[in-house]
Amino acid sequence: DNKNKIKHLKDNKNKLKQHLKDNKNKLKQHLKDNKNKLKQHLKDNKNKIKHLKDNKNKIKQHFKDNKNKLKQHLKDNKNKLKQHLKDNKNKIKQHFKDNKNELK
């Protein structure tokens, strides 16, 4: 009867050892998988951040370009308007001059 008990205890010991070994391996694999997932997440996030930075810079550049175009437009329009006013003033002067001459 003692022999059976000893055999039973040995079997249990072996089963337990095998369980521990299996669990250790599962845990190792889990940790490895999680580490890889995390690495991939970090890599993805890094790429997303780079993308966002690029977009931010493109938008900044667009604003800068648009601001400069607008400034140039305003400058051009101001100059055109000045020229128009000058031309009109000269036309009116000429009209008066012509009219004055006609009256003589």
Side-chain angles (χ1 to χ4, degrees):
D1 196 39
N2 265 354
K3 266 188 182 180
N4 270 349
K5 278 186 186 175
I6 289 173
K7 185 188 181 314
H8 195 61
L9 285 173
K10 274 188 180 178
D11 285 350
N12 277 353
K13 182 184 169 189
N14 286 337
K15 280 183 188 172
L16 188 59
K17 267 175 115 176
Q18 190 55 48
H19 262 303
L20 288 174
K21 192 176 170 186
D22 290 349
N23 281 352
K24 186 180 170 187
N25 287 338
K26 281 183 189 173
L27 186 61
K28 268 175 120 174
Q29 190 56 48
H30 262 303
L31 288 173
K32 193 176 170 185
D33 291 348
N34 281 353
K35 184 181 169 188
N36 287 337
K37 281 183 189 172
L38 187 61
K39 267 176 128 175
Q40 189 56 48
H41 266 301
L42 289 174
K43 193 176 169 187
D44 291 348
N45 280 351
K46 200 176 171 186
N47 285 338
K48 281 182 188 170
I49 289 173
K50 186 190 180 310
H51 196 59
L52 287 175
K53 276 186 181 174
D54 288 348
N55 278 354
K56 182 184 169 192
N57 288 337
K58 280 182 189 171
I59 289 173
K60 267 176 123 177
Q61 190 56 47
H62 265 301
F63 269 105
K64 195 174 169 186
D65 292 347
N66 282 349
K67 186 180 171 189
N68 288 338
K69 281 181 189 172
L70 187 60
K71 268 176 133 177
Q72 190 57 48
H73 264 304
L74 289 174
K75 193 175 169 185
D76 291 348
N77 282 351
K78 184 180 170 188
N79 288 337
K80 281 182 189 173
L81 188 60
K82 268 176 137 178
Q83 189 58 48
H84 266 302
L85 290 174
K86 191 176 170 187
D87 291 349
N88 280 350
K89 186 178 171 188
N90 287 338
K91 279 183 188 172
I92 290 173
K93 266 182 157 179
Q94 190 59 46
H95 261 302
F96 270 108
K97 196 176 174 186
D98 290 349
N99 280 347
K100 191 177 177 188
N101 284 336
E102 275 181 30
L103 286 175
K104 279 184 178 177

